[in-house]
Amino acid sequence: MKLLTHNMLECRIKGIENRYPFVIEASQVDTVEQDFDPDFLRHMYPRLEWPALKAAADSLGVTGLPTSVSEDMLEDEEFLKVFHHALLEVVLIEGFLVCPESGRKFPVSKGIPNLLLNEDEV
Amino acid sequence: MVKGERPEFTAPPDIFYNDTEARKYTTSSRMENIQASLTQRALELLALPDDDQVKLLLDVGCGSGLSGQALTEKGHVWMGFDISAAMLDVALEREAEGDLCLHDIGQGLPLRAGKFDGAISISAIQWLCNADTKAADPRKRMRAFFESLYGCLARGARAVLQFYPQNTEQAHMLTSAAMRAGFSGGLVVDFPHSTRAKKYFLVLMVGSATPLPAAEGMEGQEPADGSQVNIINRKQQKRRKLNHAIVMDSARHPEAKGKGWIFKKKDQMRKKGYTAVPPDTRYTGRKRKSHF
Ligand SMILES: C[S@@+](CC[C@H](N)C(=O)[O-])C[C@H]1O[C@@H](n2cnc3c(N)ncnc32)[C@H](O)[C@@H]1O
């Protein structure tokens, strides 16, 4: 699971208020090289929650992401490289996504999060 | 699966798409071709802007990643949801490029608002019409799915969902559930005059309503590539329908045909979302006298 995906996911358990972002508990992390596409990064940027990306990167031990970003940085190649790596190349293989409110743990195995809810959570 | 038998009749999707069934999605080139050509058509109907921008797309019921592969080939980044772990395992084996997520779309997509440039779904959403457990209410599940789908799409985005309705009621049920969730658009039926090639695409739009794209094969011709997808023949369909709809397998119900039984069946039909079930009255199940 890429951090791009983590940034889009939220917890669907019924009756909670704080569903985002999932806290990551990582036991295995990997890196998969991806084509560097600045246009795609600029396309995605307005849709991302930066603090969630930053926190997720921290929890996977990925360094170099700034705490906040401004529009003009999207022209800076050096920044874009770091952004690209964190968003698309670092993947969570084994671990958990933890609901920020209920603490419910959703297992991630072989890179696939299992977000199936039990009947009483729907 | 017996050729021509509808999988939705045999078991819930996470049970039906077990290891053996999932395996077929790697070994059968016929299956591969069918799913690829359906995805090509879905992409055409998705009508993404013709720029060189890589898009973020969603594949609903992505299975083993056959449909996703067509998205990858177009250069797009995608994310797929499926309820079958066995199918997703095959997707891993096939080295699907998209991120995968094990989830039941009837519980609603666990996604944030306004994120995706488009969504496709190939041969999956007819499963939403089933009531696989006592607690499952197809209408609620359809609502959860379509509302969450509507939510996660960016303004101006489309969703194109190819599916196999068992009958026109199901096509209607899914379409109206989508409209109620806020989508505009509707059904595009390709090759409507051909039993074998007929294909249903629910083409849904967020925001400004543009006219529906034209269907293919309106003049009664068959598809040029010979991809004949709808394999149920009429006779079989009729028989299955009878067995499964109102008459239900009376061999398994020796007490069948009593009034209570009819009430129960009618209630089940309503729960499945059928709207044309006659109301329960004191005349229900009575023998009709023949008048001359
Ligand atoms: C015929 S397969 C098609 C898979 C893939 N789209 C392709 O073209 O190869 C249908 C898929 O829908 C999935 N499915 C059925 N019901 C589902 C549900 N409620 N939630 C998520 N996936 C579901 C099944 O597990 C199966 O993988």
Side-chain angles (χ1 to χ4, degrees):
Chain A
M1 188 192 77
K2 302 177 182 75
L3 294 192
L4 169 66
T5 300
H6 169 263
N7 212 271
M8 313 266 133
L9 290 175
E10 67 178 22
C11 182
R12 290 259 335 170
I13 292 180
K14 73 154 186 232
I16 60 171
E17 263 164 36
N18 182 17
R19 1 187 126 255
Y20 184 84
F22 280 116
V23 174
I24 300 180
E25 280 180 16
S27 52
Q28 192 189 334
V29 178
D30 212 343
T31 346
V32 182
E33 210 173 301
Q34 300 285 351
D35 293 341
F36 179 59
D37 179 356
D39 284 331
F40 183 66
L41 296 173
R42 287 189 275 262
H43 180 57
M44 280 297 104
Y45 172 73
R47 298 187 196 170
L48 295 173
E49 298 294 329
W50 195 264
L53 179 64
K54 169 77 176 145
D58 285 348
S59 62
L60 300 191
V62 178
T63 54
L65 274 194
T67 322
S68 66
V69 186
S70 58
E71 207 79 18
D72 53 305
M73 290 165 78
L74 294 171
E75 301 303 323
D76 173 2
E77 173 121 349
E78 209 173 308
F79 163 73
L80 286 173
K81 286 254 157 85
V82 178
F83 179 19
H84 166 76
H85 178 68
L87 190 70
L88 301 169
E89 294 191 323
V90 180
V91 287
L92 176 64
I93 305 289
E94 300 287 326
F96 292 95
L97 296 182
V98 186
C99 168
E101 180 163 322
S102 66
R104 157 79 141 92
K105 287 182 167 190
F106 296 91
V108 179
S109 142
K110 293 180 273 183
I112 303 179
N114 174 352
L115 294 179
L116 285 168
L117 298 174
N118 301 324
E119 249 166 48
D120 60 348
E121 294 171 325
V122 184
Chain B
M1 181 172 117
V2 182
K3 188 168 185 243
E5 188 162 333
R6 300 199 62 123
E8 300 84 29
F9 287 141
T10 58
D14 46 332
I15 311 287
F16 176 79
Y17 290 102
N18 57 13
D19 293 326
T20 335
E21 188 63 27
R23 197 58 43 203
K24 292 186 194 160
Y25 281 77
T26 39
T27 52
S28 155
S29 59
R30 179 178 166 271
M31 192 84 100
E32 251 174 70
N33 291 338
I34 293 175
Q35 298 316 104
S37 82
L38 290 171
T39 313
Q40 297 303 345
R41 177 65 176 141
L43 272 168
E44 214 174 281
L45 293 167
L46 202 57
L48 292 168
D50 192 17
D51 47 22
D52 281 333
Q53 178 65 63
V54 172
K55 301 291 190 301
L56 179 64
L57 303 178
L58 192 64
D59 186 354
V60 176
C62 60
S64 61
L66 292 180
S67 40
Q69 191 175 328
L71 303 181
T72 300
E73 280 162 13
K74 293 268 176 209
H76 297 302
V77 174
W78 58 274
M79 202 175 145
F81 287 85
D82 204 282
I83 198 174
S84 158
M87 290 293 269
L88 293 178
D89 273 342
V90 174
L92 284 183
E93 260 174 56
R94 294 171 47 88
E95 302 186 345
E97 286 285 331
D99 260 4
L100 309 167
C101 186
L102 183 64
H103 189 67
D104 173 4
I105 58 165
Q107 297 181 338
L109 299 164
L111 293 168
R112 311 261 298 157
K115 304 292 183 194
F116 289 81
D117 297 304
I120 62 151
S121 177
I122 306 298
S123 322
I125 63 163
Q126 70 275 0
W127 285 97
L128 284 175
C129 301
N130 284 23
D132 292 321
T133 63
K134 270 217 178 96
D137 175 347
R139 277 164 303 184
K140 267 197 200 142
R141 290 169 52 76
M142 283 180 206
R143 191 173 73 208
F145 167 62
F146 282 112
E147 283 178 356
S148 62
L149 179 66
Y150 184 83
C152 77
L153 292 173
R155 268 198 81 77
R158 286 186 182 189
V160 176
L161 318 170
Q162 178 274 328
F163 67 111
Y164 295 111
Q166 275 163 35
N167 47 45
T168 45
E169 268 245 276
Q170 277 197 351
H172 176 73
M173 242 153 63
L174 284 160
T175 310
S176 58
M179 299 302 131
R180 268 197 299 275
F183 283 109
S184 55
L187 265 187
V188 173
V189 184
D190 283 356
F191 304 104
H193 309 294
S194 160
T195 345
R196 290 161 71 88
K198 190 169 178 176
K199 290 170 207 149
Y200 291 82
F201 294 84
L202 196 45
V203 179
L204 304 175
M205 305 168 206
V206 177
S208 61
T210 37
L212 270 184
E216 285 187 329
M218 293 302 289
E219 311 303 328
Q221 64 274 47
E222 296 284 331
D225 60 358
S227 65
Q228 299 183 322
V229 178
N230 223 351
I231 41 176
I232 341 141
N233 66 46
R234 273 222 181 97
K235 223 167 165 183
Q236 253 172 341
Q237 198 171 19
K238 216 173 193 170
R239 199 196 58 208
R240 304 289 318 178
K241 211 151 74 191
L242 279 178
N243 282 346
H244 278 270
I246 302 162
V247 183
M248 305 300 269
D249 227 341
S250 58
R252 271 171 45 221
H253 300 275
E255 81 284 24
K257 308 236 167 58
K259 210 166 176 168
W261 181 83
I262 295 177
F263 282 144
K264 202 174 101 201
K265 288 302 158 203
K266 282 166 76 177
D267 193 49
Q268 278 173 2
M269 293 294 288
R270 284 188 203 103
K271 280 215 181 106
K272 284 193 171 187
Y274 288 89
T275 47
V277 184
D280 299 335
T281 67
R282 60 202 170 98
Y283 301 109
T284 302
R286 277 206 202 163
K287 266 224 162 65
R288 302 282 195 268
K289 273 206 190 103
S290 43
H291 295 279
F292 293 98

